[in-house]
Structure formats: C-alpha cells, structure tokens
Amino acid sequence: HENVGYTLGIAKVLNNLGIFSDIGGDWAKAVDYYNQAYHLFQNTGDLQFQSMALDNMGTLAMATGKHKIARKQLENSRSIVQQLGDSWGIAGCEVNLAHLALIEERFVDSARHAETALALSDKIGSSENQIQARWILALILAEAGELEKGLEMAQEALNMTRQTGLAEKESECLRALGMLHRRGDRLTDAERWLQQSVELASAQSDPYRHGLALLELGRLYQTLAQTDYGNRASWRSKAETALSKAHQQFSTLGAAHDLGLTQLALNENNALPVHGAIDDQ
C-alpha cells in the first residue's frame, strides 16, 4: 500500500495491527497503531473507518482505566454511525458504552445503553452485540435484586456464544455466571463457572479476560475464607494465588483500574486471619 500510495489501505492495515496487538496484550503498541490509523482515516475522509478506529480506541482506553477518554471516543464513534445511519455500528457503540457505565457503577446508564443495544441487535441479528448486552444486563438485574432473572439472561448469553461459535465472548459469559452465583451464595457453582472462564481465556491467549476471571475467582476464594472457617487457610492461600496472578496480568498490560481493584482485594486477603474463628479466640 505504501509503494502505490494507497492511504486508505495503509490505514486499514494499521487498524488491524492495532487489533492484533490489543488482543495479544501489547497495549502500548495497539494505541500507537490505532492513533496512526485514525489520523489516516481522517485524511481520507472515510467516516465509517473513523468510527471503527474510535470504537477500538475507546474500548482499549476503557480497559486501561482511562474512562473519561473512553467515553469521549465511544460517544464520538456513535455520533458518526448515527450520522451514517449504521445500525450495526450504533449497536456496537451502545453496548460498549453500557460496559463502560457498568465498570463505573453507573447502573441506570448502563441499563439504558444495554437495552438500546439489545433491542437494535435483536432487530438486525447482531449476535456479538446480543451476547454482550445480555451478560451486562444480567449483572445489572442482579444489582437491582433480580438475581434469578440475571442468571437466566446470562445463561442465554452463554448458550448464544456456543450456538453462534463466537468463542471470544464465551469467557465473559462464564465470568458473569460465576459472579452471579457468588452473589447468590452458590459458591460451588460459582467456582465451577469461574474456573471455566479462567481456563478458556488462558487457552485463547487472552491476557485481559484471563486477568478478569482470576480476579473474580480470587474474590470468590476470599468469600469462602470468610465463611468456611475450618478451611480458611486453604481458601486464603487460593485467593492469594489467583489475585497475585491477576495482579501480574494487569500490571503487565497496563490495566490501571483493574490493577487497583486487585491490589485492594490482595490487601483485604492479607488482613484475614490465617486460622478460623475458634482458633482466633
């Protein structure tokens, strides 16, 4: 493309290199590729690809913990696809904005974005966005006290990943199911789902989702350490192992927000007594 001076082709390749670097965990390189691609797309005047680049930049900024930047980039991407009348693009932006709002615990906003994404995705048949909107809404339902509805929706999302072959979304659905079962004190089931999420993300060489699954598994083991006094030392040790691995993943990636949450969980785990309640007395 460079040899023939095809700017749009160069930009597309740079954007794809950004995606590969993003998935592989080299986020600094991904940011550089995305920025180069976006500026070239601006030079060509191609709005569709500008929106795509902004969406990629926004989701990566969300993962790194730069939430204000992420929101601006995702909203700018949505403005472009709305201008173009691109229903698929709108659904993708809405689901990413829902995810960002969920991370920031803006649950009303998250539900609004996710419901918009789901309605539009159901209409146009966008499986990827249907799946993500469903597991996000599942967690919001549980937050609102509707755990059973949340579990049902998360299971629907998981079933869809397996029916459609969208394996990259499966670890997220498994993690959501683990989180919901933990919320409902179904801790054995929670461990099973979270272990599956950890193993799948690792098998897919997805370091970020692997870290997220490890964080939730560590939190589960902390819960068990606080309730199963007879085996507290074992659960506390398992929590430390999972959380330490998550901490390493997030530190290497540069996932600042998740790194902070993991460090907080490690601090809480270290503050737990080694022995059970009877021994402590």
Side-chain angles (χ1 to χ4, degrees):
H1 293 319
E2 287 175 342
N3 288 341
V4 298
Y6 182 35
T7 303
L8 182 59
I10 296 168
K12 289 179 180 179
V13 173
L14 286 167
N15 189 64
N16 288 337
L17 286 167
I19 292 170
F20 284 123
S21 299
D22 190 342
I23 294 170
D26 192 344
W27 287 357
K29 188 175 287 186
V31 168
D32 183 50
Y33 281 134
Y34 285 151
N35 281 326
Q36 289 184 64
Y38 175 63
H39 291 308
L40 288 178
F41 286 139
Q42 283 185 307
N43 291 341
T44 65
D46 192 304
L47 291 177
Q48 190 75 56
F49 282 106
Q50 284 180 50
S51 171
M52 184 186 303
L54 282 167
D55 189 66
N56 289 335
M57 293 161 71
T59 53
L60 182 54
M62 174 167 50
T64 61
K66 298 175 181 176
H67 296 160
K68 289 183 180 179
I69 293 173
R71 190 179 310 117
K72 182 178 179 181
Q73 289 170 334
L74 292 172
E75 287 175 348
N76 287 343
S77 178
R78 183 182 58 181
S79 295
I80 293 173
V81 289
Q82 285 175 333
Q83 177 185 338
L84 295 173
D86 176 6
S87 297
W88 288 74
I90 295 168
C93 291
E94 288 290 346
V95 83
N96 286 331
L97 285 165
H99 192 185
L100 176 59
L102 178 66
I103 291 170
E104 295 183 312
E105 298 185 350
R106 295 184 288 110
F107 299 116
V108 173
D109 288 341
S110 183
R112 174 171 53 84
H113 288 302
E115 286 165 359
T116 300
L118 184 57
L120 189 53
S121 298
D122 285 346
K123 183 178 179 181
I124 63 179
S126 175
S127 299
E128 183 175 351
N129 292 318
Q130 287 174 316
I131 291 165
Q132 191 165 349
R134 276 180 165 80
W135 73 253
I136 289 171
L137 282 169
L139 295 176
I140 294 169
L141 283 166
E143 192 68 31
E146 297 185 76
L147 179 62
E148 293 306 319
K149 286 185 179 179
L151 283 165
E152 183 178 341
M153 185 164 282
Q155 186 64 56
E156 286 176 5
L158 178 62
N159 292 343
M160 286 186 71
T161 66
R162 292 171 174 174
Q163 291 164 3
T164 58
L166 290 168
E168 69 275 11
K169 295 295 178 185
E170 188 172 347
S171 66
E172 293 179 321
C173 298
L174 291 167
R175 185 175 74 250
L177 279 164
M179 294 166 70
L180 292 168
H181 279 285
R182 177 187 168 217
R183 183 182 281 270
D185 291 326
R186 303 165 190 175
L187 304 184
T188 300
D189 289 331
E191 183 182 19
R192 175 169 55 88
W193 291 117
L194 290 173
Q195 283 282 14
Q196 287 183 45
S197 182
V198 168
E199 291 165 7
L200 182 59
S202 177
Q204 293 174 335
S205 299
D206 189 333
Y208 183 51
R209 288 177 179 82
H210 186 217
L212 291 174
L214 284 167
L215 171 57
E216 294 305 328
L217 186 62
R219 285 171 163 168
L220 170 65
Y221 289 145
Q222 276 187 309
T223 299
L224 285 161
Q226 292 166 340
T227 55
D228 183 3
Y229 296 129
N231 297 297
R232 171 176 282 175
S234 176
W235 293 125
R236 185 174 177 271
S237 177
K238 286 185 176 183
E240 182 175 358
T241 298
L243 292 170
S244 295
K245 288 180 180 177
H247 191 280
Q248 183 178 356
Q249 291 277 49
F250 295 141
S251 180
T252 301
L253 288 166
H257 177 73
D258 299 297
L259 182 63
L261 293 176
T262 307
Q263 185 61 60
L264 181 62
L266 275 167
N267 294 343
E268 291 172 350
N269 194 61
N270 290 335
L272 286 173
V274 176
H275 303 293
I278 296 175
D279 296 324
D280 292 339
Q281 292 174 355

